[in-house]
Amino acid sequence: GIPADLLPGLFERSETRQGRGLFLTQRVVTALGGSVSARNLAAGGCVFRAHLPLAPSVVTHDPTQRLPRIAP
């Protein structure tokens, strides 16, 4: 797991290699409208979660038209 005193600032900018990755992950996910979190497990280890919103469909289809066939 991660020491409890480090969890609150885990996704803040850091000069360590691991810290940069977590910071960048948080920036990308929040830029996409999501969130990231981390928590320790009672049995040891930790869980990282990234929640991203479903994007609205950018492909529209007129139901009165047949869909084109896609060759296998």
Side-chain angles (χ1 to χ4, degrees):
I2 298 169
D5 61 321
L6 296 180
L7 277 174
L10 195 61
F11 296 100
E12 293 176 5
R13 184 176 214 149
S14 172
E15 295 305 316
T16 67
R17 185 176 192 164
Q18 297 86 357
R20 281 193 302 254
L22 294 173
F23 172 74
L24 292 174
T25 298
Q26 186 263 346
R27 291 289 302 260
V28 169
V29 171
T30 55
L32 294 171
S35 63
V36 293
S37 63
R39 68 178 177 89
N40 285 324
L41 299 173
C46 61
V47 173
F48 287 86
R49 287 198 172 136
H51 295 269
L52 294 168
L54 293 175
S57 177
V58 293
V59 178
T60 60
H61 171 66
D62 180 351
T64 63
Q65 301 294 316
R66 288 182 54 131
L67 289 172
R69 287 186 51 119
I70 300 173

